[in-house]
Each structure stands twice: as C-alpha cells, then as structure tokens.
Amino acid sequence: MRTHLTRTVALVLFAVVGCGSETAGGAGGHSPAPDPAPHTKERAGQVAEAWDGSAAADAYSKGYYPMQGPVQRPEGGWRDAEDEEAYATQNFALSAELPKTHKGGKVTWQSGETLTLDLMGAREAYETLARNSGEGPRLTVTGAELGEMTQATSRGPATVPAWLFTLEGYDTPLKRVAIGPSKVPKPPIGPAAQGVSADLWNLGGVVEVAGNGRSVTVVAHHGACDDGPAVDVLETDGSVVLSGYMVGTDDGLCQDSLHAQEKTVELDRPVGDRVLLDAFTGRPLGPARH
C-alpha cells in the first residue's frame, strides 16, 4: 500500500549529526526489537554493509558526536510558566560582561580517551540561546564561567567543557556545551532511492539513549491517513541501523504533511561505540531538535 505523502518532504527532513526534527510532539511509542520487516531489511543490510569496517566508520569512531542537545536547564527546571516561555522563545537579557574566549576545550570519555576541539566563546554560546529580545517574559543572565557537563555521545558518556550561565532567580546555572561536534565523514552510501520502499522514511534524530545503552528513543515520522510510525532495528558488530516506516498506509489521498512521534527501540546489547545509522539517509543519527 502506498502513501501519497510527497517524498521531497522527507528529503528536506534528513536526520544528520547536530540536526533533527524541530517537532517531537505526539504520544510516545515503544518498539520491540524484532527482525527488520521485509520491506526495510534489504535497505538496512545495505547500509550496515557499507558502513561496517569502512574508512568513514573508522573516522567516526575517533570524533565527538553528541547524542543529546547542547543545553542543560537549571536543576529542577523552570520555576514558572513565564520562564519556560522565555526559554522557548529564546528571550534573554544580559546584565553582565561575558568572559573572553579561552583556548581549546577537552572532551574526556569514561575510557580515559580525550579529544581537544576549538572552544566556543561565551558570547557565541550566549547568542545560541538568546535569539530574541522582544516583549514578553525574559530570562536575565547575570554572569558566566567556564565549567563542565556530562553529555551522551556516540562513544558513550563524556565530560565536555560548558559555559555556565547564572540566571537571575536561580541557584544553579543554565549550562551550554562550549564545543561543536566533529565534522561527519562522507557516508559510504547515499540516501535510499525513491521506490526502494513506499513507506520507508527518514528519522528526525535521537531523543535519548538509555543509560545502559540497551534502548534508543528517536523521532519517527508518519502521515495524516495512516496508523502511525514504526521503527525496526538491524544490529551488527559495527553498527545499529534504524528503519523508520509508516504503518497502515492507504491508497486514498493524504494530506501533504508529516507528523512526528517519539519511538523507543530495544536493542539486543548496548549501543556501545557502534555507529547509530538511519536506514533512509544512510547517515549517522544526531540529536533531535526540541
């Protein structure tokens, strides 16, 4: 059964490292880890075969690729709806002089491996948070210092440098990662050709990797006249390939739009340092945007 959603919409929504769906709404779902469905298995196998043991996989295994967003809110979250609105609308005010740029920042993994990357200045980090200075509720930054935070990455948890912004009315800081991800190596396989599967769609990014690495929550897409999204998984020694597709598509006319829904996939073993891949795009998955 074919969906009539426009394929070019999916091409615009490619999930790449550092990029994902801006809407992760909808009720969450849970997908067990069966063998991939017949219509996703061939493509997933092609992606795994292309990546496993490739130069791209080797380069990816040495880089810094976050699996969660770069911001951590103050402990306990926002104190009221106005502050939550201010953060959502990126409405900030600055009442302090920000520190000057420091030199390189070091990423440290639990294994002891490290990687030094260019450090983002405090002003640049602030400007990624504060894109609005209009009317309405605001969060006021009263100071900043360089510190650290823990972040999930493609190589497991890591300690990364972060700018700690002091907010008026809060005892704990708003943290923003002070480095950017490594450049993604050129994938050894291209996107799925149109017609490979009527229902195979790209994923919108990673929402969460469980602390034990045994499950992954991603943003999956579906249309206006189907039964929702599903995600199949193909695990190999070098990769975890996730295939997003639509369930219950009909031959009737569909609205040319996509809906997004979180889906959790259980794995046979922890992700570890395996590459987490999107079957449709053939690229590594990065964090979903919220």
Side-chain angles (χ1 to χ4, degrees), residues 3 5 39 199 201 221-223 226 228-230 244-249 258:
T3 177
L5 285 168
H39 67 285
D199 299 324
W201 288 81
H221 298 116
H222 69 103
D226 54 52
Y245 63 98
M246 300 177 187
V247 178
T249 54
L258 287 180

Side-chain angles (χ1 to χ4, degrees), residues 64 66-72 149-153 156-160 177 179:
Y64 161 67
M67 291 289 109
Q68 66 184 89
V71 180
Q72 288 183 6
M149 61 186 276
T150 300
Q151 191 176 46
T153 78
T159 300
V160 300
V177 174
I179 54 174

Side-chain angles (χ1 to χ4, degrees), residues 9-215:
V9 176
L11 294 173
V12 173
L13 290 169
F14 272 176
V16 297
V17 167
C19 181
S21 169
E22 295 187 0
T23 56
H30 187 82
S31 294
D35 290 334
H39 67 285
T40 67
K41 188 173 183 177
E42 181 178 1
R43 170 63 182 177
Q46 292 169 351
V47 172
E49 183 178 4
W51 272 91
D52 289 1
S54 68
D58 182 62
Y60 190 82
S61 70
K62 298 174 182 176
Y64 161 67
Y65 302 101
M67 291 289 109
Q68 66 184 89
V71 180
Q72 288 183 6
R73 304 175 188 185
E75 294 178 13
W78 303 118
R79 59 184 177 180
D80 54 38
E82 287 192 351
D83 284 0
E84 186 173 357
E85 179 184 347
Y87 177 73
T89 58
Q90 299 185 301
N91 203 2
F92 281 72
L94 181 62
S95 67
E97 183 175 347
L98 296 176
K100 301 298 182 182
T101 303
H102 294 246
K103 294 184 178 180
K106 183 180 291 186
V107 183
T108 304
W109 282 273
Q110 290 182 338
S111 64
E113 294 179 284
T114 63
L115 180 65
T116 299
L117 297 169
D118 291 339
L119 191 71
M120 179 184 297
R123 169 63 65 173
E124 183 181 355
Y126 172 77
E127 290 176 351
T128 66
L129 300 169
R131 300 182 185 275
N132 184 15
S133 58
E135 297 182 359
R138 290 188 185 183
L139 289 166
T140 300
V141 172
T142 59
E145 63 177 345
L146 189 62
E148 296 178 333
M149 61 186 276
T150 300
Q151 191 176 46
T153 78
S154 61
R155 297 161 63 179
T159 300
V160 300
W163 286 107
L164 312 183
F165 293 101
T166 305
L167 298 178
E168 188 176 273
Y170 288 86
D171 296 328
T172 58
L174 174 68
K175 300 180 181 180
R176 205 290 179 191
V177 174
I179 54 174
S182 301
K183 182 179 179 180
V184 181
K186 182 179 179 180
I189 188 171
Q194 294 190 32
V196 169
S197 169
D199 299 324
L200 185 64
W201 288 81
N202 62 290
L203 298 169
V206 178
V207 177
E208 181 182 24
V209 177
N212 61 7
R214 293 294 296 269
S215 69

